[in-house]
Amino acid sequence: MMSDLDALREAWGRPEPPSSSAHSSARAALLERAAAPAPRRGRRWTVRLLAVAASAVVIAAGMTAVQTVGGVDDRAPGLTIPAANAQAVLNKAAGVAQGREFVAPRADQWIYLEVRGQYQRPGDGETVTPQTPLKTTVTADWTRADGKVLANFEDGKLVTSPTGGAMPPNDYPTIASLPTDPDALLSWFRERTRRAPWNSTQQDVETDNFRMLSGLLANNLVPPALEAAIYKAMAKIPGVTVNEGARDIEGRPALAVTRVIEGWLSSEILIDPITYTFRGTRDTVVKDHTGYNGVREFKKQDGKWVALSTPDPSRMWTLKAGTVNSRSTRIVIGVVDQPGQKP
């Protein structure tokens, strides 16, 4: 399966800004791919849009950091603060993150990540509603802390492959070197997302910043100071709101810090309403949306981008408002000495 960026490059040919209509079509196509399952090899090395969740970090002996669902200490701070707005929720989460203990992995160690995900992948002509069951998958892999090698089981055999890099970063040395000042962290991402060929407006840049910060938080072992900076940076992004009535993959109440994308998809990170620790992420459809399972080609003519083909109506599908597009729970993340081991 091609990556999202590869799909955009194939559609546009070269990195020049498309017309507004072509830009909207291509950007919508990128978002529609969020529901598709990621390939098992190299799946963490682009912006992964599946939701992931975790509740706390516990430091165990042997320099092993472990995160598990349900591992939160009920005595954690944050029991009384009201969820008045997204800034209050994110700033409280930043304070909780800043206070946790942490031991960094060595470059020769491996970071184990196990995720249970759910997603919608509509077929040709299908209408997906909030009652449509989500498809479920469980994945597990090991990433060497230097970010250069990925390992997982395929047909019962442990195999390794090069990672090829990613944005947001996935190697621990780069992650550990990111700015811990929220303004500097936002500037770091804005400089990189502003160059993306599909970003023609500042709103597009801010949307990608929110997704990048979510992916960095959800898919990696993040030091406390950086985790706090991520929350504080999110609080500075325009259009970020909070939904106090969300639920995670297990059906537990959660605070959803959200930003609406393209007017139809709510991109959300989930925060525990009692302990203010990170639970995971979720994408929810807030407005009926029609998409296409095929690949459309675009060509620049007379200075404008035009579609070379029209969608086949039989391959169109619709997501109804209220549908959960994707979500997942991080079962465990931890540091081990070699691939194949579990924390």
Side-chain angles (χ1 to χ4, degrees):
M1 181 182 296
M2 70 175 64
S3 72
D4 302 329
L5 297 182
D6 289 338
L8 288 171
R9 292 190 186 101
E10 179 178 294
W12 292 346
R14 52 186 190 271
E16 300 179 49
S19 67
S20 59
S21 60
H23 160 264
S24 296
S25 298
R27 191 172 182 85
L30 173 64
L31 294 171
E32 287 155 13
R33 290 177 182 269
R40 287 193 58 81
R41 300 190 73 175
R43 64 180 175 83
R44 293 182 62 205
W45 314 121
T46 56
V47 180
R48 185 168 60 187
L49 302 184
L50 262 183
V52 282
S55 17
V57 174
V58 178
I59 304 301
M63 296 185 67
T64 299
V66 182
Q67 285 181 303
T68 59
V69 173
V72 175
D73 185 345
D74 290 338
R75 298 169 297 175
L79 300 179
T80 59
I81 185 172
N85 53 54
Q87 287 71 31
V89 171
L90 289 165
N91 286 328
K92 184 59 184 180
V96 171
Q98 188 73 57
R100 69 177 170 89
E101 294 181 331
F102 182 77
V103 178
R106 301 190 311 269
D108 64 327
Q109 290 184 305
W110 295 73
I111 299 170
Y112 174 72
L113 177 65
E114 186 174 346
V115 175
R116 179 170 61 254
Q118 293 183 331
Y119 59 90
Q120 297 286 2
R121 192 179 185 184
D124 295 353
E126 183 179 358
T127 296
V128 178
T129 73
Q131 289 72 44
T132 303
L134 287 87
K135 301 173 178 64
T136 301
T137 183
V138 176
T139 59
D141 58 35
W142 292 260
T143 306
R144 202 166 65 192
D146 63 8
K148 297 180 180 179
V149 183
L150 176 74
N152 53 38
F153 280 99
E154 294 183 6
D155 299 323
K157 181 180 178 181
L158 186 67
V159 297
T160 61
S161 60
T163 61
M167 179 56 64
N170 51 65
D171 63 291
Y172 187 80
T174 299
I175 291 170
S177 70
L178 290 175
T180 55
D181 174 83
D183 290 315
L185 184 62
L186 270 179
S187 295
W188 192 93
F189 276 109
R190 281 174 178 152
E191 177 62 24
R192 286 152 180 82
T193 56
R194 188 177 289 114
R195 301 170 187 165
W198 58 87
N199 283 336
S200 62
T201 68
Q202 184 61 30
Q203 182 176 356
D204 293 338
V205 172
E206 299 299 354
T207 290
D208 280 359
N209 285 338
F210 186 83
R211 299 288 263 186
M212 290 282 186
L213 291 167
S214 298
L216 179 63
L217 177 65
N219 299 331
N220 297 285
L221 191 66
V222 178
L226 178 59
E227 183 178 351
I230 290 171
Y231 292 130
K232 291 179 179 179
M234 284 181 170
K236 293 175 176 288
I237 295 176
V240 174
T241 61
V242 65
N243 169 18
E244 299 183 38
R247 291 189 177 273
D248 66 10
I249 197 171
E250 283 82 20
R252 300 173 298 180
L255 303 172
V257 178
T258 77
R259 196 174 197 278
V260 176
I261 301 173
E262 294 290 321
W264 69 271
L265 187 69
S266 176
S267 176
E268 307 164 337
I269 68 164
L270 302 180
I271 301 293
D272 189 290
I274 296 177
T275 63
Y276 285 79
T277 51
F278 174 73
R279 281 262 194 88
T281 64
R282 185 181 69 163
D283 283 349
T284 304
V285 180
V286 295
K287 180 181 178 182
D288 290 0
H289 179 73
T290 298
Y292 178 57
N293 276 333
V295 175
R296 299 185 66 191
E297 296 182 353
F298 292 84
K299 182 179 180 180
K300 198 170 187 179
Q301 295 180 352
D302 299 326
K304 296 182 180 180
W305 287 93
V306 296
L308 298 181
S309 60
T310 57
D312 178 353
S314 67
R315 303 211 65 191
M316 303 294 288
W317 47 258
T318 299
L319 296 172
K320 303 297 287 185
T323 299
V324 174
N325 196 43
S326 65
R327 61 188 178 188
S328 71
T329 290
R330 181 160 60 192
I331 300 170
V332 62
I333 186 170
V335 179
V336 296
D337 289 330
Q338 60 186 23
Q341 292 180 340
K342 293 187 179 182

